[in-house]
Amino acid sequence: MARAAAVTPAGSPPGPGLTGGGGSGRAEAVLSKLQLLVTRKLDGLLQGDYIGLLPGPGTEAGESREYRPGDDVRRMDWPVTARTTVPHVRRTVADRELETWLAVDLSASLDFGTARWLKRDLVVAAAAAVSHLTVRGGNRIGAVVGTGEGTPVRLPARPGRKEAQGLLRAIVSTQVRPGRSDLGALVDLLNRPPRRRGVAVVISDFLTPPEQWGRPMRKLSLRHDVLAIEVVDPRELELPDVGVIALVDPETGALHEVQTADPKLRRRYAEAASAQRTAIAHQLRASGAAHLRLRTDSDWLLDMVKFVAAQRHARTRGTTR
């Protein structure tokens, strides 16, 4: 069922997305509009001198406080804990010159969308929002981009808004090939070469089996604050009752006819899809990554604002997960 979730109605492609040959002029225009939308809405809803997507690991030691459930045990203040016999964690002062890396999955399964967005467009939108939230204060941002069966593209980390905009244009213009990116290998590229502690963001639909990318994600979380942005279309969660439809797998080209009027089939599909998403969420939670799900049929910017606000609230309470 994991593969069946990445299908497009045969004969009715969703139209050109931001990437993969949609036309450089159109891509540039859509990207400019997207960046303006991100800037206006995020700046309007998130106030503060230093807006971050994740709290940031910090480099300067701050004061200690008592441990609370959910705190990162790697920040235990053992001397204070031993002296007081009460578990304490050490707060850190956020480092304003963080390095953020994106792992952007542009596999063929992202060429799908039955609502307001293609999943591929939502991936680019999420990358634009992340860059906007992390590029301030001289922060550096770079990316590795999965291109289907081809070799991933590495875009070096650079500081500044113009460089961040150039990074987004490079992501949009990346030539995508048929097939599925090896998500585990793509995430592993963020582990090489070793870098000082920073922020890593993985943007994908996570349709590959969790055991293929779970270990690289756990390894990444040992050194960096990790955010996983999962992109989902509603038709990947349940099938509508519309009679017989022809579906084509965008990764393999395989064609299937499905009788959606069968209530048992729709129920089995929904159950399998639910189990799949539960397994994804469990693996992300086990890896220590923060998890944000964006849907093509919802206000993704509002969902991101709520996520960032929750992170900031958790930060004031002393926990970041």
Side-chain angles (χ1 to χ4, degrees):
M1 184 60 67
R3 305 292 294 184
V7 293
T8 304
S12 57
L18 281 174
T19 59
S24 59
R26 175 191 179 275
E28 188 70 25
V30 174
L31 188 57
S32 297
K33 183 177 180 181
L34 177 64
Q35 289 176 318
L36 181 61
L37 176 66
V38 167
T39 302
R40 285 182 174 176
K41 193 160 188 178
L42 288 184
D43 281 352
L45 296 176
L46 293 172
Q47 302 296 331
D49 293 332
Y50 187 72
I51 301 172
L53 186 63
L54 290 176
T59 56
E60 301 180 14
E63 62 180 8
S64 294
R65 58 162 179 76
E66 289 189 14
Y67 171 87
R68 300 190 186 101
D71 284 342
D72 190 340
V73 296
R74 293 171 295 184
R75 298 176 186 168
M76 293 293 296
D77 190 333
W78 296 113
V80 175
T81 298
R83 188 167 60 249
T84 63
T85 69
V86 177
H88 278 69
V89 293
R90 173 71 69 177
R91 284 178 171 172
T92 53
V93 179
D95 187 346
R96 291 177 180 247
E97 293 184 359
L98 293 174
E99 186 168 279
T100 299
W101 277 86
L102 310 177
V104 183
D105 181 10
L106 293 180
S107 298
S109 65
L110 278 301
D111 285 323
F112 177 64
T114 62
R116 301 166 60 183
W117 295 78
L118 290 178
K119 290 200 299 178
R120 185 179 303 280
D121 291 347
L122 199 53
V123 166
V124 175
V130 169
S131 68
H132 177 76
L133 289 167
T134 59
V135 78
R136 299 183 178 194
N139 291 345
R140 297 157 57 88
I141 185 166
V144 291
V145 185
T147 59
E149 293 181 349
T151 302
V153 176
R154 184 184 291 271
L155 304 172
R158 294 189 175 95
R161 286 195 176 278
K162 289 185 177 180
E163 287 72 14
Q165 293 171 359
L167 179 82
L168 291 173
R169 284 193 292 269
I171 292 174
V172 168
S173 61
T174 299
Q175 186 62 43
V176 180
R177 300 172 179 84
R180 166 160 286 281
S181 301
D182 185 336
L183 185 57
L186 186 67
V187 172
D188 226 15
L189 288 177
L190 300 185
N191 290 310
R192 305 192 305 268
R195 303 180 182 88
R196 70 185 181 94
R197 187 171 173 84
V199 177
V201 182
V202 182
I203 310 174
S204 175
D205 56 10
F206 292 93
L207 289 183
T208 52
E211 57 269 18
Q212 294 184 11
W213 48 262
R215 185 173 181 178
M217 288 286 288
R218 289 193 296 272
K219 182 180 178 181
L220 189 64
S221 295
L222 291 176
R223 188 172 182 84
H224 304 286
D225 286 319
V226 180
L227 168 62
I229 300 181
E230 179 190 7
V231 178
V232 181
D233 187 86
R235 293 289 75 81
E236 294 174 330
L237 305 178
E238 60 182 8
L239 287 175
D241 183 0
V242 292
V244 178
I245 58 174
L247 303 173
V248 59
D249 189 325
E251 295 180 0
T252 65
L255 183 67
H256 304 277
E257 288 190 349
V258 178
Q259 174 54 271
T260 62
D262 184 350
K264 292 183 180 179
L265 182 143
R266 295 199 309 274
R267 185 177 64 254
R268 291 198 305 270
Y269 182 94
E271 290 173 350
S274 176
Q276 180 189 45
R277 296 298 166 178
T278 299
I280 292 171
H282 174 76
Q283 189 67 263
L284 292 175
R285 187 164 54 250
S287 73
H291 182 197
L292 169 61
R293 178 179 290 179
L294 300 179
R295 292 173 56 117
T296 60
D297 62 342
S298 65
D299 186 338
W300 64 271
L301 258 177
L302 182 58
D303 291 339
M304 183 161 282
V305 165
K306 290 179 179 178
F307 174 83
V308 175
Q311 290 288 316
R312 294 176 67 182
H313 178 67
R315 196 182 323 175
T316 63
R317 298 184 61 186
T319 175
T320 61
R321 294 292 180 217

